[in-house]
Amino acid sequence: MKYWLIKSEPDVYSWSDFVNEGGTVWSGVRNYQARNNLRVMAKGDKALFYHSNIGKEIVGIAEITREAYPDPTSDSEQWVCVEVKPLAPLPTPVTLESIKSEPRLANIGLLKQSRLSVVAVTKAEFDRIQKMGS
DNA sequence: GCCAACGTTGGC
DNA sequence: GCCAACGTTGGC
C-alpha cells in the first residue's frame, strides 16, 4: 500500500464538504508531477487530506476508491483523476507548524515540495501524523 | 497583499 | 537547448 497527501483549499472544497458528499472525484490536477502521482495510486491507498491556505493542517484520512482515468474536466487526454472517499477525521488536526517542528517529518514532501498538490508520503510519515492527530 | 519557489511558455 | 518573462501556488 502507498500513502499520499492531497491538498485542498477549504474555501473551495473542505473536509466537511468531502464528508457530506461521502466521496468525490479528485479532478482538475494540471501539474505533471501531481498527475504522475495520481497515475500510480492504487485502490485502497490512503491519503492525508490537507487544508492549504486556510487552516494549513491535515484534517483527515481518505482512501482511494478508483484508480486513474481521464479527467472529464479536461479536453486533453493527458490529465487524469481518481476517486476518493473519507475514511476518518483526525481528532486533532495536525498543523503545518507542528509538522515543521517534528524532526521525524523533516523530509516530508509537503515541506520539500510545498507547491505540489498531490505528494507521496512514507508509511512512517503517515503513521507519525496519524499518531500526532489522535 | 506580498513574495519566494517553481513550473510553463516562447523568442532566439 | 537556453533563458527571460510570466503565471500559479501557498505560506506569511
Side-chain angles (χ1 to χ4, degrees), chain A residues 47-117:
Chain A
L48 301 165
F49 193 105
Y50 177 75
H51 278 169
S52 62
N53 283 313
I54 301 165
K56 285 167 285 174
E57 57 191 10
I58 295 164
V59 289
I61 295 167
E63 182 182 322
I64 312 304
T65 55
R66 184 175 171 187
E67 296 176 11
Y69 61 97
D71 186 339
T73 69
S74 170
D75 292 332
S76 167
E77 284 296 300
Q78 65 172 325
W79 303 116
V80 299
C81 60
V82 298
E83 290 179 11
V84 287
K85 70 172 183 188
L87 211 56
L90 286 183
T92 310
V94 177
T95 64
L96 182 64
E97 196 181 8
S98 62
I99 290 167
K100 282 183 174 171
S101 61
E102 169 53 76
R104 281 169 286 194
L105 297 176
N107 290 316
I108 196 168
L110 177 67
L111 299 180
K112 292 286 170 182
Q113 289 177 283
S114 60
R115 289 177 66 250
L116 194 57
S117 61

Side-chain angles (χ1 to χ4, degrees), chain A residues 12 14 31 33 52 63-65 109 130 133:
Chain A
V12 177
S14 70
N31 170 283
Q33 248 184 300
S52 62
E63 182 182 322
I64 312 304
T65 55
Q130 196 167 20

